[in-house]
Amino acid sequence: STQSTWGIGDADPRCGASSLQQFSGEDLGLVERKRRQAALARQWAQQQVDERNHKQWLDTQNGLRQRRRMEETTDRAFQVMDRVAEQRAQEARATAAFNRALANQRNEERALAKRNETLVNFEEIRNALDSDFMREDVNATMNASNPNRFKSYNMKGFLHHQKQAIFNEQAAQAQEARRRREQEAEDERQWALAAERTRTIGLEVEEKKMQMRRAAAEQLERDRHEQVALKEQRSRAAQQVTRNDIGEEFWRHFNASSR
């Protein structure tokens, strides 16, 4: 009965040394184990490649988001600068319009005063021409009580102090005319200076805007170069860390303890 239950194998006492099927130290699953190990190594390598690609994709997305944020910040800064420049330009235009209106008002007032003065002068001339003195009315120069007595104060002549008073008045009028011309020239000069200041401020604002735009563009370019260099550095570091080639050296040392 015991013989019927036994199978022929290494544990069968009937088998001699020549009938052994398994020897000590023999690894019958070597081929299958190597195949599984190679598959597992390929799986690990593929997993590392996928992780590296995913990390590179995340770095790229982070760089894009950072660049978009920088561009949005730069655009907002430019918008604020444009609003400030527009407000300053509006203020300059309003100031210029006020100055022009004030200058026009002053010119109109001076023209009105000159017209009124001209009318008064015409009235004085008319009164002088229509007077008895200028018309040389004989009746006005003769004394009514004594026809032979001449009225010297109705003569066509002036005494010394009267002539001097006329000269003084002419000098005062000439000085006033010069003062008006100088004032008009000063007004024109101030208006030219205000216009030049407005133009200079506009040019300075435009120049500052261009400088800030150039600085922002240069900063963006430097950040892009730094990101590219950092990306290349990380890529080289990842390649050095994840290098896991399986070669002859691996199989030579693999499972050496069981040999």
Side-chain angles (χ1 to χ4, degrees), residues 25-89:
E26 185 179 7
D27 190 1
L28 298 178
L30 177 62
V31 176
E32 180 63 22
R33 188 168 60 257
K34 285 184 177 181
R35 186 185 63 79
R36 290 198 301 270
Q37 288 176 349
L40 184 59
R42 287 193 298 271
Q43 181 180 358
W44 287 347
Q46 185 63 37
Q47 182 179 359
Q48 291 179 354
V49 171
D50 293 340
E51 290 177 355
R52 183 179 62 190
N53 293 335
H54 182 66
K55 191 173 184 305
Q56 291 178 354
W57 180 82
L58 290 178
D59 292 340
T60 302
Q61 294 298 320
N62 291 332
L64 292 175
R65 284 195 296 270
Q66 184 178 3
R67 185 171 181 178
R68 284 196 296 268
R69 285 196 297 269
M70 293 180 65
E71 290 178 353
E72 290 176 357
T73 304
T74 304
D75 291 338
R76 290 177 182 175
F78 286 156
Q79 291 176 2
V80 171
M81 289 180 59
D82 291 337
R83 293 193 185 98
V84 172
E86 181 62 26
Q87 291 177 358
R88 290 180 178 176

Side-chain angles (χ1 to χ4, degrees), residues 17-257:
S18 62
S19 62
L20 292 177
Q21 298 181 4
Q22 183 175 3
F23 299 94
S24 177
E26 185 179 7
D27 190 1
L28 298 178
L30 177 62
V31 176
E32 180 63 22
R33 188 168 60 257
K34 285 184 177 181
R35 186 185 63 79
R36 290 198 301 270
Q37 288 176 349
L40 184 59
R42 287 193 298 271
Q43 181 180 358
W44 287 347
Q46 185 63 37
Q47 182 179 359
Q48 291 179 354
V49 171
D50 293 340
E51 290 177 355
R52 183 179 62 190
N53 293 335
H54 182 66
K55 191 173 184 305
Q56 291 178 354
W57 180 82
L58 290 178
D59 292 340
T60 302
Q61 294 298 320
N62 291 332
L64 292 175
R65 284 195 296 270
Q66 184 178 3
R67 185 171 181 178
R68 284 196 296 268
R69 285 196 297 269
M70 293 180 65
E71 290 178 353
E72 290 176 357
T73 304
T74 304
D75 291 338
R76 290 177 182 175
F78 286 156
Q79 291 176 2
V80 171
M81 289 180 59
D82 291 337
R83 293 193 185 98
V84 172
E86 181 62 26
Q87 291 177 358
R88 290 180 178 176
Q90 290 178 359
E91 182 179 356
R93 289 194 294 268
T95 303
F98 174 78
N99 292 333
R100 285 195 298 270
L102 182 60
N104 293 332
Q105 181 180 357
R106 289 179 178 177
N107 292 332
E108 291 177 357
E109 290 176 355
R110 284 194 292 268
L112 180 60
K114 189 174 182 179
R115 285 195 298 270
N116 293 334
E117 183 181 1
T118 302
L119 293 176
V120 171
N121 293 334
F122 287 161
E123 183 66 20
E124 291 180 355
I125 292 172
R126 188 183 64 80
N127 293 333
L129 293 177
D130 291 340
S131 65
D132 294 337
F133 179 77
M134 296 299 297
R135 288 188 293 108
E136 297 182 355
D137 189 0
V138 178
N139 296 324
T141 60
M142 300 303 294
N143 193 336
S145 61
N146 186 3
N148 297 321
R149 187 177 179 181
F150 181 75
K151 296 180 179 179
S152 59
Y153 52 83
N154 281 339
M155 290 177 57
K156 284 187 176 179
F158 296 97
L159 300 177
H160 177 72
H161 68 278
Q162 293 175 338
K163 293 181 180 179
Q164 187 63 38
I166 294 174
F167 294 154
N168 294 337
E169 182 64 23
Q170 291 176 348
Q173 292 178 359
Q175 184 177 2
E176 179 64 21
R178 284 194 302 271
R179 189 191 65 79
R180 285 199 301 268
R181 289 194 297 270
E182 291 175 357
Q183 183 64 35
E184 291 175 358
E186 180 65 20
D187 293 340
E188 292 295 333
R189 190 179 68 84
Q190 292 295 332
W191 169 247
L193 290 176
E196 181 64 21
R197 284 196 296 269
T198 302
R199 188 182 68 84
T200 303
I201 291 173
L203 292 176
E204 290 177 354
V205 170
E206 290 296 329
E207 180 64 21
K208 188 174 182 181
K209 187 188 298 182
M210 292 298 296
Q211 291 178 358
M212 294 187 66
R213 286 179 177 174
R214 287 195 296 268
E218 292 175 357
Q219 184 64 34
L220 287 175
E221 187 65 20
R222 288 195 296 270
D223 293 341
R224 187 181 67 82
H225 285 300
E226 291 178 358
Q227 291 178 2
V228 170
L230 182 60
K231 181 179 178 181
E232 292 178 355
Q233 182 180 0
R234 290 178 178 175
S235 177
R236 289 193 298 269
Q239 290 177 0
Q240 293 176 0
V241 172
T242 59
R243 185 176 181 85
N244 194 15
D245 297 338
I246 300 176
E248 184 64 26
E249 186 69 17
F250 174 81
W251 297 115
R252 188 168 63 81
H253 293 284
F254 180 76
N255 201 21
S257 62

